[in-house]
Amino acid sequence: MFPFSVLVGKAVRRISRLRGGGSALPGLVVEKIDPGFMGRALTGLPHGVVVISGTNGKTTTTKMVVELLQGQGLTVFTNRTGSNFTRGVAAALLGEVNWRGRLKADIAVLELDEAHAVHFVKLVPPTHCLLLNVLRDQLDRFGEIDQTTRLLEQIAAKTTGTVVLNREDPRVAGIASTVHDAEITYFGLDASLRSTFPNDDELRGDIGVAPPSSLPADVILEHVDGNTAMFLTDGESTSVDLRLRGVYNIFNAAAALAMARTVLGGAINRAALFASLATVEPAFGRGESLVVDGKPLELVLVKNPSGFRLGLKSFDAAGYATMIAINDNYADGRDMSWLWDVDFDSLGLAGVDMVSGVRAYDMALRLKYDDVDVRAVEPDTTAALKAFISATHDQPKRIFCTYTAMLAVRRDLSKITTVEVVS
């Protein structure tokens, strides 16, 4: 049955790619005909299986962990497309296993949606997991954040080796008390940076900034200056100039360092580790920079209040033409009420040149309440992008977009400029 399911899955994958279909379809097919496919393919990897989950930062953090481990000489399997449902993992496996279903890799590093991760770990208990944060996101799918916490607890409970937790998020740090069969380690912040990275309660103004955590952290982000960050490990501070954009990605780097150190332990090459971190480029759509008409165009993924707030904080609106594209498809979350929890005052001086997406008028109304001038509204992203580029051809550009809007915008941009193909 196993080789037959691989044969069918690979055939569907080939047909799907030829027709330009979705990357997860072959995985959905093989899940239906062979539910044990992933477990067999991922069993026996020398360094095990890493699961990365949480509300924000999964894709970029996974990319960093992969490149840090590759820099240490490991062959790493990952679900590179950012399709973080189990079907996405299965589809990625179909592209890497041979016809007998065997995977040539030292370790698997997998980004997984909180709910799908629970299903995955029942099939494939991970040796390591990295849990990033718990923030309000896609309320229609996950409910309130206590439910998200319970999902992450189930991931940690199935982990056989080490659970890496964000000590600055009280809900994530609290998961340690529910773990009985795995070791616990933490990543964290210097006290001076706590207000820069508020947890969900602090974002909502429920409580003041919490006092510094007393939990010991394996990696501490000590200082941030633009794209330069200083990390404390083993009592030694190391400064790194990062290619990643956005303060949120810099804290994600601390998480990635903690996981890489956990996987390799004393065998890690410290100099190579930080050298690899310095070369990591943004994941697609996460601060990704393209060139259109000789000017930079940045894509910034936004999907919840925390992500949008930190995106606005990280990218100065001055001198940039701005477009916002908001969809409410399943992968984005249907409930867009979170837009009212974001402060858009930073866009007030320059205004927004174009608002697009399925929920374009909702977004335009939200901006109006913050006295942000909106120059155009066009729900169709293809038409909106064309008009946006034409009207702002002599300016650098930035597009804030939800997940499916980002995919649509990247697809249209690939027709006029070089866009990395992710498959």
Side-chain angles (χ1 to χ4, degrees), residues 310-355:
L310 287 173
L312 292 169
K313 182 176 183 177
S314 298
F315 298 96
D316 188 356
Y320 274 75
T322 300
M323 174 174 162
I324 301 176
I326 305 294
N327 280 354
D328 65 350
N329 296 317
Y330 178 75
D332 307 296
R334 303 286 191 185
D335 186 343
M336 288 290 130
S337 62
W338 62 265
L339 291 172
W340 293 89
D341 295 327
V342 181
D343 181 354
F344 293 99
D345 287 349
S346 63
L347 297 176
L349 188 62
V352 173
D353 296 272
M354 175 65 71
V355 176

Side-chain angles (χ1 to χ4, degrees), residues 4-5 64 90 96 142 173 205 221 286 299 309 360 388:
F4 173 73
S5 66
M64 283 191 277
E96 297 293 330
F142 297 124
L221 175 60
R286 279 79 170 174
L299 292 174
R309 287 187 185 198
F388 174 61

